[in-house]
């Protein structure tokens, strides 16, 4: 249910992002190439031998300044440690053990969290010379590795696998109650929002322990319907600790979101959308969560009607990849329209679980294909045979074609827009994959070829 967070920590240049890429490269499939979403990606969902986790490259959080490296790293490491469940501490076998490594390792030990000590860039015998040095850290096990070339990699990953909690059984993943994550940058009003709900009489029925140590979820009841609010205790209690280091809100968002069906992304309406908000929404989008943009602090916004138009336009523009997101304006402070969020929530949950009958789907599909000729692929026609919905949460479709490589992103987008027009999916991402239709099927089924084929 809850995915543990694994952070790669270490000095700049030890190879953190190289290791990160190697870990996710093995099984991370980028679903779509959305501009803006994958840029400076330093967190990802990963899996090793059936165990899923969220991987964070803390190097991605290094501010690009000329600040003294140590203090930045210290801050960074502290934060990473605070958020992570497991830590891979990476050092540099080419450089040997440096004072900064010793300092970091002391902090890590003080945290009490499980740490894997790894020495990178051990690609050849000449780099092994430094290894004994690292045992001065007082550790039992050291993992020499080459993030670049792969030596020692599977040993490292097997160790991580050993530490990670057992994968939950299938059944547990299917939570009966809808799960909602309240996320957003520091200070947008997350805890105020949660508190405003608690103030209501119909609020929190009970608390249920999340599977990660520190997460406590709450059950919220609204007009007889129940929702699990993910990590409410965390939202209410923390905040002070790492405010100021905004980028960490992404990590937090990621953590909460991994267990949710729908993300309520709070945005400070008085401030407008920031890059960090974009990133958080991008994350929800990539993870296939339902998305509701909650414009909070609406009480501070003058000329509300005008403002709502302006800001929803801004939402559609800045968050183009998630232009399906639902938008609600509230004030956590005055409690205005706070419960309105739950009406929206019901809709989004339903849309994310929607199944479209195949016949209906293909009626729409054939129409859209014939209306707008797909682009050629290496001077050959890309044929779209039919579409089928293979999943929900979020709705996922496969379109069968002759050349999957020839399916252009923009055409997928075109298909998506048409499916949305026909079937909605308001507030939910939609996934569309192109698959090659096997020749054998083609022959056996003897589907008539599309008439229009020659007429372009
Ligand atoms: P980060 O700053 O910790 O994220 O480090 P990077 O992943 O950006 O790597 C820093 C440099 O070390 C790059 O030039 C990498 O090519 C190099 N590097 C990373 N891993 C290895 C390795 O296993 N062996 C060698 N020889 N070089 C590596
Ligand atoms: P969090 O860090 O996202 O949990 O944000 P908080 O709930 O701690 O709120 C940050 C600040 O914004 C606090 O001073 C709140 O009183 C204020 N705030 C939160 N919601 C609203 C709102 O709807 N209107 C106004 N005017 N202020 C708000």
């Amino acid at each position: 249910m809850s995915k543990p967070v694994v952070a790669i920590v270490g000095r700049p240049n030890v190879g953190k992002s190289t290791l990160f890429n190697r870990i996710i490269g093995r099984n991370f499939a980028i679903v779509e190439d959305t501009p803006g979403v994958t840029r400076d990606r330093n967190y990802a969902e990963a899996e090793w031998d059936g165990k899923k986790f969220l991987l964070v490259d803390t190097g991605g959080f290094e501010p690009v300044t000329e600040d003294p490296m140590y203090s930045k790293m210290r801050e960074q490491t502290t934060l990473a440690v605070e958020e992570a469940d497991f830590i891979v501490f990476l050092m540099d076998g080419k450089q040997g053990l440096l004072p900064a490594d010793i300092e970091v390792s002391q902090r890590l030990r003080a945290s009490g969290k499980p740490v894997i000590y790894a020495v990178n860039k051990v690609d050849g015998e000449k780099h092994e010379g430094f290894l004994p040095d690292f045992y001065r850290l007082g550790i039992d096990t050291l993992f020499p590795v080459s993030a670049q070339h792969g030596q020692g990699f599977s040993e490292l990953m097997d160790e991580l696998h050993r530490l990670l909690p057992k994968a939950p059984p299938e059944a547990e993943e299917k939570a009966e109650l809808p799960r909602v994550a309240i996320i957003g940058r520091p200070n947008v009003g997350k805890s105020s929002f949660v508190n405003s709900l608690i103030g209501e009489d119909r609020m929190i029925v009970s608390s249920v322990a999340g599977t990660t140590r520190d997460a406590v979820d709450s059950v919220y009841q609204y007009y007889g319907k129940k929702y699990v609010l993910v990590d409410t205790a965390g939202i209410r209690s923390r905040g002070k600790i790492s405010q100021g280091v905004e980028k960490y809100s992404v990590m937090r968002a990621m953590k909460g979101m991994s267990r949710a069906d729908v993300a309520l992304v709070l945005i400070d309406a008085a401030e407008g959308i920031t890059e960090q908000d974009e990133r958080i929404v991008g994350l929800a989008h990539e993870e296939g969560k339902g998305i509701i943009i909650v414009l909070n602090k609406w009480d501070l916004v003058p000329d509300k009607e005008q403002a709502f138009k302006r800001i929803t336009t801004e939402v559609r523009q800045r968050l183009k990849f998630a232009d399906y997101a639902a938008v609600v304006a509230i004030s956590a402070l005055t409690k205005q329209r706070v419960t309105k969020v739950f009406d929206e929530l019901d809709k989004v949950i339903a849309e994310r679980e929607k199944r479209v009958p195949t016949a209906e789907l293909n009626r729409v599909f054939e129409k859209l294909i014939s209306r707008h000729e797909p682009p050629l692929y290496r001077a050959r026609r890309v044929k779209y045979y039919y579409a089928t919905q293979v999943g929900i949460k979020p709705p996922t479709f496969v379109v069968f074609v002759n050349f999957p490589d020839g399916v252009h992103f923009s055409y997928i987008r075109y298909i998506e827009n048409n499916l949305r027009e026909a079937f909605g999916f308001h507030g939910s991402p939609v996934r569309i994959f192109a698959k090659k239709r096997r020749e054998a099927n083609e022959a056996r089924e003897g589907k008539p070829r599309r008439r229009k084929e020659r007429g372009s």
Side-chain angles (χ1 to χ4, degrees):
M1 194 155 74
S2 164
K3 286 182 207 127
V5 174
V6 178
I8 306 174
V9 173
R11 289 182 293 109
N13 258 332
V14 295
K16 293 184 295 298
S17 55
T18 310
L19 180 64
F20 177 86
N21 287 330
R22 180 170 283 274
I23 294 174
I24 65 172
R26 290 184 63 113
N27 19 38
F28 187 73
I30 291 179
V31 174
E32 55 184 83
D33 188 14
T34 314
V37 173
T38 43
R39 143 186 68 121
D40 41 308
R41 158 188 277 291
N42 39 31
Y43 40 82
E45 214 173 294
E47 183 177 341
W48 189 260
D49 202 6
K51 286 184 181 175
K52 291 192 175 134
F53 53 96
L54 298 166
L55 186 66
V56 181
D57 169 10
T58 60
F61 297 104
E62 274 156 28
V64 202
T65 63
E66 54 287 337
D67 282 359
M69 179 181 94
Y70 286 171
S71 70
K72 280 301 167 197
M73 200 179 54
R74 204 174 293 143
E75 180 183 41
Q76 191 220 116
T77 308
T78 309
L79 290 164
V81 168
E82 186 189 304
E83 293 296 331
D85 300 301
F86 300 90
I87 291 146
V88 176
F89 178 36
L90 201 60
M91 294 167 282
D92 189 330
K94 262 168 142 174
Q95 292 194 307
L97 185 67
L98 297 189
D101 295 326
I102 297 175
E103 195 193 314
V104 175
S105 82
Q106 279 163 351
R107 289 170 169 277
L108 295 179
R109 190 160 308 146
S111 78
K113 298 201 176 171
V115 181
I116 297 176
Y117 295 84
V119 178
N120 189 31
K121 310 193 189 178
V122 184
D123 315 308
E125 268 163 45
K126 66 177 190 300
H127 295 147
E128 279 167 22
F130 277 129
L131 283 179
D133 225 22
F134 289 96
Y135 284 98
R136 279 175 36 215
L137 294 174
I139 49 177
D140 294 332
T141 322
L142 192 64
F143 290 85
V145 65
S146 169
Q148 200 156 52
H149 305 291
Q151 288 97 316
F153 178 68
S154 50
E155 284 82 357
L156 175 70
M157 293 308 289
D158 288 346
E159 173 68 4
L160 179 61
H161 186 270
R162 198 179 64 74
L163 293 177
L164 289 171
K166 264 206 205 83
E170 276 297 306
E172 215 177 299
E173 297 225 52
K174 295 191 193 88
E176 326 74 53
L177 295 180
R179 305 181 62 86
V180 183
I182 297 154
I183 57 179
R185 296 185 299 124
N187 266 323
V188 292
K190 296 181 295 299
S191 47
S192 305
F193 177 70
V194 171
N195 286 334
S196 77
L197 297 176
I198 290 169
E200 302 273 323
D201 289 342
R202 37 177 128 77
M203 187 39 191
I204 315 283
V205 176
S206 62
S207 286
V208 286
T211 34
T212 50
R213 256 182 302 260
D214 51 354
V216 178
D217 303 337
S218 306
V219 177
Y220 177 71
Q221 184 164 320
Y222 176 63
Y223 287 116
K225 283 192 201 129
K226 288 179 181 167
Y227 310 82
V228 175
L229 304 183
V230 171
D231 193 20
T232 38
I235 292 169
R236 300 182 74 202
S237 67
R238 64 195 172 196
K240 307 132 244 147
I241 319 162
S242 9
Q243 271 186 21
V245 188
E246 286 226 333
K247 290 192 169 180
Y248 268 84
S249 55
V250 173
M251 197 157 150
R252 231 167 233 176
M254 179 168 81
K255 213 167 161 180
M257 203 154 49
S258 72
R259 300 193 289 133
D261 298 300
V262 178
L264 299 185
V265 185
L266 267 66
I267 286 178
D268 186 330
E271 242 178 68
I273 299 167
T274 69
E275 204 171 305
Q276 203 59 17
D277 297 326
E278 276 177 46
R279 216 169 271 158
I280 290 172
V281 175
L283 198 65
H285 167 79
E286 287 189 16
E287 291 238 341
K289 307 301 182 186
I291 302 175
I292 301 177
I293 307 284
V294 180
L295 303 168
N296 189 34
K297 310 197 186 179
W298 200 245
D299 54 298
L300 298 179
V301 174
D303 204 356
K304 300 190 194 320
E305 208 164 304
Q306 276 275 322
F308 191 75
K309 273 190 207 132
R310 196 191 60 238
I311 211 163
T312 39
T313 310
E314 196 189 342
V315 167
R316 301 287 172 236
Q317 276 165 1
R318 300 266 315 249
L319 310 174
K320 203 174 271 162
F321 54 89
D323 57 5
Y324 51 81
V327 181
V328 200
I330 68 159
S331 169
L333 202 66
T334 67
K335 300 192 183 183
Q336 238 173 338
R337 297 160 61 82
V338 158
T339 48
K340 170 95 180 137
V341 171
F342 289 85
D343 297 333
E344 205 59 40
L345 202 51
D346 288 341
K347 287 186 211 152
V348 171
I349 289 163
E351 292 293 296
R352 190 163 166 270
E353 294 176 0
K354 192 186 264 179
R355 261 182 216 284
V356 179
T358 305
E360 219 173 297
L361 172 64
N362 280 285
R363 257 198 305 280
V364 172
F365 186 68
E366 292 202 359
K367 214 186 284 168
L368 73 93
I369 298 295
S370 62
R371 198 166 47 223
H372 180 33
E373 204 73 34
L376 296 180
Y377 172 62
R378 296 188 177 153
R380 304 183 65 177
R381 186 164 310 290
V382 182
K383 284 179 237 158
Y384 287 72
Y385 298 107
Y386 62 99
T388 173
Q389 182 170 1
V390 295
I392 56 168
K393 297 185 180 186
T396 304
F397 300 87
V398 168
V399 298
F400 288 92
V401 299
N402 54 351
F403 302 122
D405 288 345
V407 175
H408 196 265
F409 172 70
S410 61
Y411 202 72
I412 290 283
R413 187 74 195 201
Y414 164 73
I415 296 174
E416 176 179 338
N417 290 342
N418 276 272
L419 295 186
R420 285 188 182 281
E421 210 169 282
F423 306 114
F425 306 122
H426 179 62
S428 172
V430 162
R431 304 227 147 123
I432 301 172
F433 300 94
K435 266 203 180 148
K436 187 171 174 59
R437 186 173 119 161
R438 268 174 278 121
E439 303 300 332
N441 282 351
E442 219 175 307
R444 197 180 35 197
E445 285 172 24
K447 272 215 162 188
R449 300 196 154 189
R450 205 161 272 109
R451 291 285 121 73
K452 280 210 63 188
E453 218 162 79
R454 301 223 242 122
S456 60

